[in-house]
Amino acid sequence: MKVAFISDIHSNIEALKAVLDAIDQEDISLIINLGDLVGYNASPVECVDLVQGRQIISIQGNHDRAATEMKYAESFNILAYQAMKWSANKLAPAHKRFLKKLEHTRVIWDRYLVFHGAPGNPDAYLFYLFQAKKAFNYMRKRTVGVRIGFFGHTHKRAVWQRDVRGKVSSLKISEENILLDPEQMYLINPGSVGQPREHNWKASYLIFSNEPEMIQFKSVSYDLHSAQARIRNAKLPEYLAERLETGV
Amino acid sequence: MKDYKKECKLKDGSIVLLRPLVAEDKEALINFFQSLPEDLRLYLRHDVTDVQIIESWTKNIDYSRAFPIIALDGERIVGDVSLHRIPYGWKHHIGTVRVAVDPKYHHKGLGTLLIHEIVELAAEFGLEKLWAELPLDFPEALSVFRKAGFSSKAVIEGLVKDLHGRSTDVIIMVCDIGTQYGF
């Protein structure tokens, strides 16, 4: 069975449609969205409608939570806050109810942990080795038997592995197939659909196969200029349009 | 930019409004800097009592080089913080922070709030580290930066001279942005 993981769509409908079109070309059984469906970009309504319509399993990100209650956006910087205020005004009560009901951490099929930032905390990031070690320890204590966690939030593709001796390291990212060792634990980030931050503007996603366990990072072009035009038309901060092109 | 507002509550329950500095803020910024006591102005990089300097700042705002945020109590500026970036070279991933707060707003958490805002903004801009230089004999400022996630990296004795020509030790403080959001 193959599962597609998408994350950090951030109201970029052009990127989301391009990724779903690419996913539809493969034999995918399930699509899982690792959170932050809204925020930053200018198509929150379209993105929520599409994800709901496609029966995509979704996890709540910190921006999704903030869209339902602005008090959660108070810690956002002034640009992200502005975009969130705009999104919250655009979303209908039904969209907000959908976002509010999402869980921020979930175990799928008793085997895979899915979360947005860090397990149990959608605001925290897994950037560094010490953070990955803490996440692996969380999995070993709280979700016994779960070897693989999928997360988002950083907008950067990543694979952390923990070997049987407890040594944690990161793997080099490529778009080749990566075979997962059944003896090891993994934390995997598919990168961002709607606002990649790897100096590459293309929308990122990940295909996971379970027999044998294997992952493949993928990226796809989308109508960047249309996404930028929407941001400018909505009078959202110009930086949010510029960064889509530079992948910052 | 003037519409990009964020209300924040201080430790004493009072509310300030944060927003980016815009050209129309010239008069309010002049008043703010002229109201700062000399012992605070001693440590600023520019002679902020010079109206032409403030005019030049507000007239030539380039948010991609220096992003200034002001804190307003009503129409009055009570704090100013800015994130300075270098677009190229070996320091392109480092931002520099400069901050000034009205003494009436000291001990209310405004300084920490403003620096936190810059840390968040720096993360948004993809910066990895923030750098601040402070006089060593200004413990309140050091404490504010520590609370916002900075740690002391070096002290350089007698490096700078204040407006009266007195030598002052400088402390270099750095914030590793990625570790601020750790799990």
Side-chain angles (χ1 to χ4, degrees):
Chain A
M1 187 172 67
K2 285 164 86 175
V3 180
F5 284 92
I6 58 178
S7 188
D8 296 279
I9 295 160
H10 283 302
S11 303
N12 186 337
I13 189 66
E14 287 82 3
L16 177 59
K17 280 181 175 170
V19 165
L20 293 179
D21 285 348
I23 287 171
D24 287 342
Q25 306 301 311
E26 307 203 32
D27 181 24
I28 299 293
S29 308
L30 186 66
I31 305 173
I32 297 177
N33 158 35
L34 298 167
D36 277 2
L37 179 50
V38 298
Y40 288 124
N41 299 310
S43 306
V45 170
E46 296 86 340
C47 287
V48 175
D49 284 342
L50 185 54
V51 163
Q52 276 189 291
R54 290 285 304 251
Q55 309 281 308
I56 293 169
I57 291 179
S58 289
I59 291 300
Q60 188 186 65
N62 54 323
H63 284 251
D64 303 325
R65 185 181 56 177
T68 68
E69 269 188 88
M70 277 302 287
K71 70 174 183 184
Y72 292 113
E74 283 170 11
S75 62
F76 289 7
N77 68 75
I78 212 156
L79 302 181
Y81 183 85
Q82 184 66 23
M84 181 47 63
K85 209 162 71 173
W86 183 88
S87 292
N89 281 335
K90 292 285 167 193
L91 292 166
H95 296 124
K96 292 184 186 177
R97 279 197 297 277
F98 168 75
L99 294 172
K100 195 169 188 169
K101 276 186 187 166
L102 300 175
E103 296 171 273
H104 58 65
T105 306
R106 188 167 162 181
V107 177
I108 307 274
W109 304 316
D110 298 326
R111 298 186 66 173
Y112 306 113
L113 184 67
V114 292
F115 52 92
H116 181 63
N121 184 350
D123 294 312
Y125 286 81
L126 299 187
F127 262 129
Y128 293 100
L129 184 75
F130 75 94
Q131 294 161 343
K133 281 182 179 175
K134 281 184 84 171
F136 280 126
N137 286 340
Y138 178 102
M139 287 163 69
R140 291 173 67 233
K141 284 177 189 159
R142 308 262 189 104
T143 56
V144 178
V146 172
R147 281 179 39 251
I148 305 177
F150 294 92
F151 68 103
H153 197 33
T154 66
H155 298 215
K156 291 182 178 180
R157 297 179 292 182
V159 182
W160 294 96
Q161 65 178 5
R162 183 187 187 278
D163 69 17
V164 286
R165 296 168 302 156
K167 188 184 170 198
V168 175
S169 57
S170 63
L171 296 187
K172 190 170 175 248
I173 302 301
S174 78
E175 295 203 354
E176 303 293 313
N177 280 321
I178 300 171
L179 191 63
L180 305 183
D181 183 334
E183 299 295 317
Q184 299 202 13
M185 296 178 75
Y186 292 92
L187 287 163
I188 300 163
N189 186 330
S192 169
V193 170
Q195 195 190 71
R197 296 181 187 168
E198 297 179 274
H199 303 287
N200 180 351
W201 63 275
K202 290 183 179 177
S204 291
Y205 63 103
L206 177 102
I207 304 296
F208 170 73
S209 314
N210 70 337
E211 285 177 354
E213 286 175 335
M214 191 185 293
I215 54 171
Q216 187 176 17
F217 288 101
K218 297 205 166 192
S219 57
V220 64
S221 303
Y222 69 94
D223 189 346
L224 172 72
H225 295 118
S226 170
Q228 289 178 311
R230 283 178 196 264
I231 292 169
R232 289 173 176 133
N233 289 341
K235 296 194 170 19
L236 290 170
E238 171 62 20
Y239 174 69
L240 300 180
E242 288 170 6
R243 75 184 312 178
L244 286 184
E245 197 160 346
T246 51
V248 173
Chain B
M1 283 287 186
K2 199 173 181 177
D3 296 330
Y4 298 175
K5 296 169 186 167
K6 188 166 127 178
E7 266 191 4
C8 297
K9 195 183 265 188
L10 302 181
K11 280 197 288 195
D12 65 353
S14 58
I15 302 287
V16 291
L17 191 74
L18 302 192
R19 68 162 168 80
L21 181 79
V22 294
E24 299 93 299
D25 293 318
K26 185 184 83 179
E27 291 303 324
L29 196 64
I30 290 169
N31 292 338
F32 168 67
F33 278 121
Q34 289 190 343
S35 74
L36 292 181
E38 193 191 73
D39 59 340
L40 277 184
R41 282 191 276 113
L42 285 180
Y43 301 117
L44 299 179
R45 193 181 172 96
H46 299 275
D47 179 7
V48 292
T49 57
D50 183 342
V51 171
Q52 285 184 332
I53 286 180
I54 308 293
E55 254 176 17
S56 142
W57 285 356
T58 50
K59 203 171 165 184
N60 305 303
I61 300 174
D62 176 358
Y63 296 102
S64 66
R65 297 294 294 264
F67 200 108
I69 294 176
I70 51 174
L72 292 150
D73 179 355
E75 297 294 309
R76 196 162 60 94
I77 296 177
V78 294
D80 172 79
V81 68
S82 50
L83 171 63
H84 300 258
R85 293 193 280 162
I86 300 166
Y88 304 105
W90 70 339
K91 289 187 176 176
H92 75 279
H93 62 293
I94 303 172
T96 309
V97 186
R98 293 180 202 147
V99 64
V101 172
D102 182 329
K104 293 188 195 81
Y105 284 78
H106 288 187
H107 310 295
K108 292 184 176 184
L110 179 57
T112 308
L113 179 84
L114 290 172
I115 298 165
H116 266 304
E117 190 63 34
I118 288 298
V119 173
E120 289 284 334
L121 199 60
E124 199 70 73
F125 291 148
L127 296 177
E128 294 169 26
K129 289 175 193 291
L130 286 173
W131 174 285
E133 294 173 14
L134 295 100
L136 188 60
D137 58 357
F138 197 1
E140 288 171 348
L142 303 187
S143 165
V144 166
F145 274 85
R146 277 202 193 96
K147 281 181 197 159
F150 284 69
S151 56
S152 309
K153 297 297 178 187
V155 173
I156 306 172
E157 292 175 0
L159 181 71
V160 297
K161 289 182 192 284
D162 69 17
L163 293 180
H164 300 303
R166 291 174 298 219
S167 291
T168 303
D169 300 344
V170 164
I171 185 164
I172 310 290
M173 300 188 84
V174 171
C175 172
D176 283 307
I177 293 166
T179 59
Q180 294 303 299
Y181 306 99
F183 168 43

